[in-house]
Amino acid sequence: MHFYPTFFRLVFSGMDAERAHRIGFALIRAIDRTPVGWGLRRFCAPDASLATTAFGVEFPSPFGLAAGFDKAGKGVLSLTVLGFGHVEIGTITGQAQPGNPAPRLFRLVEDRAVINRMGFNNDGAAAVAPRLRSARQRLARRYGARRPVVGVNIGKTKKVDIADAVADYLVSARELAPVADYLVVNVSSPNTPGLRLLQSVESLRPLLEAVRTTADDAAGRHVPLLVKIAPDLTDQDLDDVGALALDLGLDGIVATNTTITRENLTTDAATVMAKGVGGLSGAPLKARSLEVLTRLRAAVGDRLALVSVGGVETPEDVIERLEAGATLVQGYTAFLYEGPFWARRINRGLARSRAA
């Protein structure tokens, strides 16, 4: 099953990264529509021992796919076939937008990392909502009570002024909360100008309060609400966000997004600089992501769910995050390097660990 790294090196490594992503994602969706998809679903299904509860929602595995891979909600069923316990869609904005000019996605193969400045390219909340409604209904038919979970990550439309950000987020909350198992407010992408300013407690409080009220009203139920933060926050900032999340009664924190730093890279500095600005993800983020998780767990105790993401590649990485206090763990960049059976390998490693 570990033939994929060789396949990646021969087929995808020399191809434009965004084109390779489109081709790979299209193949995953195509396979799901064939009898092979049925076989894969059985082959990759997480062991029953991995069932996990977070913020009142049942997950078939604590390991899921982070936001960024499926930006439009077009491949939820296909991705869950591969064994992910949940798939987080997005980032979705109130209005459709093309994102930043290409090229905007770059691999650092030596570092098993990616730099992206995609810029929240997506079809907009109104277009994505019916797709997710259909996907959740079909997941329920396929899997029954143990179906994979669908999260929705929402962000700010680029052309909307930062002063009008709250109203823009509310557009997404109204459309998407009714079709989401949980909702994540993304204030930490480095690729939307001014977005990270919303991470300050003064800006974050009214935003989260408004999204929570709007989401619950639109859905007619409580929709678990989380906030996604950057790894570049100071320790004091992390403590403040943790305190705010507790004060507001949020359901959790997703930590972390990509980083704007370029530290601890094997790739030569000139090559890295030539890629330009953007968020760095992958293996170089591992240590900082774990530090943030540990700091947040100490700050919030057992009162919040923490979703750890950043530099996760192996079953041992997932186990380490869970032991450090993560409720759920997500990955993305390693999926590009490890291929379609990555989630299965993670789940099998977790099951072996729990059986030991």
Side-chain angles (χ1 to χ4, degrees), residues 39-333:
L40 275 177
R41 187 159 71 247
R42 294 175 61 86
F43 182 65
C44 297
D47 189 85
S49 67
L50 299 184
T52 301
T53 301
F55 36 82
V57 178
E58 298 293 327
F59 292 72
S61 165
F63 183 64
L65 182 61
F69 191 92
D70 185 352
K71 292 178 175 293
K74 293 182 176 180
V76 176
L77 270 79
S78 308
L79 292 166
T80 58
V81 162
L82 301 180
F84 292 105
H86 67 279
V87 174
E88 190 170 305
I89 301 306
T91 296
I92 309 299
T93 54
Q95 303 175 38
Q97 57 183 25
N100 293 322
R104 53 192 181 178
L105 185 66
F106 309 90
R107 305 184 203 92
L108 302 181
V109 177
E110 292 178 67
D111 291 288
R112 294 177 64 82
V114 165
I115 293 173
N116 96 82
R117 52 175 175 272
M118 300 297 289
F120 291 169
N121 53 305
N122 74 103
D123 297 334
V128 173
R131 293 176 197 154
L132 296 189
R133 181 176 295 105
S134 173
R136 288 175 76 219
Q137 291 169 347
R138 293 174 66 189
L139 285 172
R141 290 197 294 270
R142 275 189 179 183
Y143 296 94
R146 292 190 65 243
R147 71 167 175 83
V149 171
V150 181
V152 181
N153 185 299
I154 61 174
K156 186 184 81 67
T157 304
K158 182 176 181 179
K159 69 180 182 181
V160 171
D161 190 271
I162 197 72
D164 300 315
V166 172
D168 186 58
Y169 276 91
L170 296 188
V171 172
S172 296
R174 289 188 197 95
E175 292 281 354
L176 296 167
V179 296
D181 291 316
Y182 70 90
L183 205 60
V184 179
V185 173
N186 185 352
V187 290
S188 49
S189 170
N191 300 319
T192 296
L195 185 72
R196 287 191 170 196
L197 297 174
L198 295 174
Q199 288 181 116
S200 70
V201 170
E202 295 79 10
S203 299
L204 199 52
R205 179 183 292 275
L207 171 62
L208 294 174
E209 287 177 331
V211 169
R212 180 179 57 187
T213 300
T214 300
D216 288 358
D217 288 348
R221 59 181 169 88
H222 174 59
V223 180
L225 181 64
L226 297 84
V227 62
K228 187 167 187 175
I229 62 172
D232 309 314
L233 295 177
T234 66
D235 286 348
Q236 184 60 57
D237 290 335
L238 294 173
D239 292 345
D240 290 345
V241 169
L244 176 64
L246 290 174
D247 185 45
L248 293 178
L250 293 188
D251 296 277
I253 299 172
V254 182
T256 61
N257 212 317
T258 58
T259 180
I260 57 174
T261 68
R262 298 292 188 264
E263 299 174 356
N264 305 315
L265 296 177
T266 300
T267 307
D268 69 273
T271 299
V272 174
M273 184 172 294
K275 308 297 185 189
V277 299
L280 174 73
S281 64
L285 198 53
K286 176 179 176 178
R288 178 55 183 164
S289 178
L290 184 58
E291 288 174 0
V292 172
L293 168 64
T294 304
R295 181 85 185 193
L296 283 173
R297 183 51 76 196
V300 305
D302 60 0
R303 291 171 287 176
L304 285 179
L306 297 181
V307 183
S308 185
V309 55
V312 172
E313 297 189 284
T314 66
E316 292 73 26
D317 290 336
V318 177
I319 292 166
E320 182 179 39
R321 302 300 173 95
L322 294 171
E323 291 179 345
T327 315
L328 302 169
V329 181
Q330 294 179 340
Y332 172 12
T333 301

